[in-house]
Every structure is written in structure tokens, then in C-alpha cells.
Amino acid sequence: MKNRVSPSNNEVRLRDDEFIVSKTDTRGIITYVNRIFMQISGYSEPELLGVQHNIIRHPDMPRGAFRLMWETLNRGEEFFAYVKNLCKDGSYYWVMANVTPDINADGKVVGYYSVRRKPTDAAIKAVTPLYREMLQIEAAAGAKQGPERSIEHLHQFCRSQNMSYEELIWALDNA
Ligand SMILES: Cc1cc2nc3c(=O)[nH]c(=O)nc-3n(C[C@H](O)[C@H](O)[C@H](O)COP(=O)(O)O)c2cc1C
């Protein structure tokens, strides 16, 4: 399934009142999607359920972004990021994503859920070149070292702005 879609330059923009929701098991296999998810991505429910969430991974997204996500989730914390996703027809859409551990009554992590909404234009403008640089770093450093080095680049960028990663996310959300 993965990588069969050729990305195009067609952008799908979310409306202010549209929220894209999905749930996964602990490995990122999709267990639930809402209607807006299907409408925006162009996939039907049977095409999504039971499938790895990377089905909508866009090649413009650096691996480091997802490495950082999984590291944060594995610490039991929620994660925020600006993400460019790939539709079934090759179009793309930007989201401001929140991913949270789904914890059962015994305190065990049984999966994750994600709610995404329309990002600010300022966020897309800031993150696009940053992700491009991260991708370049990953290409130069190779699969093993790449994600770690690109995460370091992301942290360096945050430091240059005198912000933590989360502060950067919120600053861009209010920009
Ligand atoms: C709840 C949840 C939501 C996710 N949402 C997305 C998403 O919208 N887009 C995406 O590319 N990956 C998403 N992921 C991450 C994917 O599972 C995967 O780690 C990522 O696409 C990188 O895939 P790859 O390592 O196979 O390249 C999500 C993971 C979880 C647990």
C-alpha cells in the first residue's frame, strides 16, 4: 500500500471547523477514523481500518518528526506537531496535530488517538523550510543517524528562537 501514491502540488485546505480524528493501537495501526478524515484523505473506512497510519505519510515529512513523536509518546506524554499528509489522489494537506496516549482503567497504554485541525499560515510558512532542512540532513546522514541529527536540527532551531519545541508550536499557532 505504502508509496503507491505519487504526490502532486494540489493542496487540500481544512476549514476552521473541521477536525480530523483517528485512533490507533500501540503500533500505529488505525482502529478508528472520523468522517472528515475520510473526506480529506480520500480513503474509505475499509481502506483505512487495520492499516498502518503511515498510509498518509507524505515524503516531504522528515523521519525525525515521527521519531520525536514516538519518543514523546513512549514517555507517556502527548505530542504536538505540524504535519503534511498525503491524500489518496496525491494531494496534500497540512494539519496541526495532537497525539495522545489512550490509557485504560489499569493505567496501561492501549493505543493512541489524534485530533488535527487547520494550522495557521504562519506555521506552514515556518515549518516548510525547517522540514526541508531536516530532510536534507537525513539524506546526508543516512538512515541510521539521520533522524537523530534532524531532531537535533529542530531543537537547534527552537533554541535559536529562545523557545522549547512546544513553545514554538504554540507561538506559531498564535502567529
Ligand atoms: C494516533 C497516531 C496518529 C498518527 N497520525 C499520522 C499522520 O497523520 N500522518 C503520518 O504521516 N503519520 C502519522 N502517525 C505516525 C505513523 O504511525 C508513522 O510512524 C509515520 O507515518 C512514519 O512512518 P514510517 O516510519 O513508516 O515512515 C500517527 C501515529 C499515531 C499513533
Side-chain angles (χ1 to χ4, degrees), residues 5-71:
V5 177
S6 335
S8 75
N9 283 325
N10 185 52
E11 181 175 14
V12 177
R13 290 181 76 87
L14 269 74
R15 291 200 318 253
D16 289 340
D17 62 346
E18 284 179 328
F19 292 85
I20 300 179
V21 183
S22 61
K23 288 180 81 164
T24 71
D25 68 8
T26 52
R27 295 165 302 150
I29 306 290
I30 299 170
T31 55
Y32 167 82
V33 287
N34 73 344
R35 203 169 285 275
I36 302 290
F37 191 121
M38 293 182 262
Q39 271 169 19
I40 303 280
S41 70
Y43 288 105
S44 65
E45 198 168 52
E47 286 174 309
L48 291 167
L49 298 186
V51 170
Q52 207 342 298
H53 217 309
N54 68 14
I55 184 173
I56 55 164
R57 184 192 193 286
H58 198 287
D60 288 351
M61 282 300 295
R63 291 194 175 282
F66 298 112
R67 170 80 65 92
L68 190 61
M69 181 197 88
W70 284 106
E71 283 174 0

